[in-house]
Amino acid sequence: MERILIKDTTCEEREAIIRRSLDCGGGCENCSSCWLGGGSPFEMYQDYIDGKKEIAQINAEYRARFIRG
């Protein structure tokens, strides 16, 4: 299993993780992130790349915008 936690990765490794994870092979025109309110998927995960927030925290914050309670 690949290490993805900030404490276990360098900035360069985190950027590669995000690029690999978001590469569906179809190009951005096939991605729904932008029109679903996520904006640029690479900008969305910049805090992870910079070592400020874990991926799980960013994903939870994104999902919380759509949960009604």
Side-chain angles (χ1 to χ4, degrees), residues 10-24:
T10 66
C11 182
E12 292 79 17
E13 289 171 324
R14 292 189 296 273
E15 183 172 359
I17 290 166
I18 294 301
R19 292 207 177 277
R20 234 180 2 263
S21 298
L22 297 176
D23 182 19
C24 66

Side-chain angles (χ1 to χ4, degrees), residues 21-59:
S21 298
L22 297 176
D23 182 19
C24 66
C28 287
E29 65 274 4
N30 294 324
C31 179
S32 61
S33 177
C34 295
W35 66 268
L36 286 177
S40 165
F42 296 104
E43 289 178 21
M44 181 175 162
Y45 289 101
Q46 190 61 51
D47 279 348
Y48 169 69
I49 294 168
D50 293 340
K52 296 176 184 176
K53 294 181 181 179
E54 296 290 352
I55 291 173
Q57 182 181 358
I58 293 168
N59 290 342

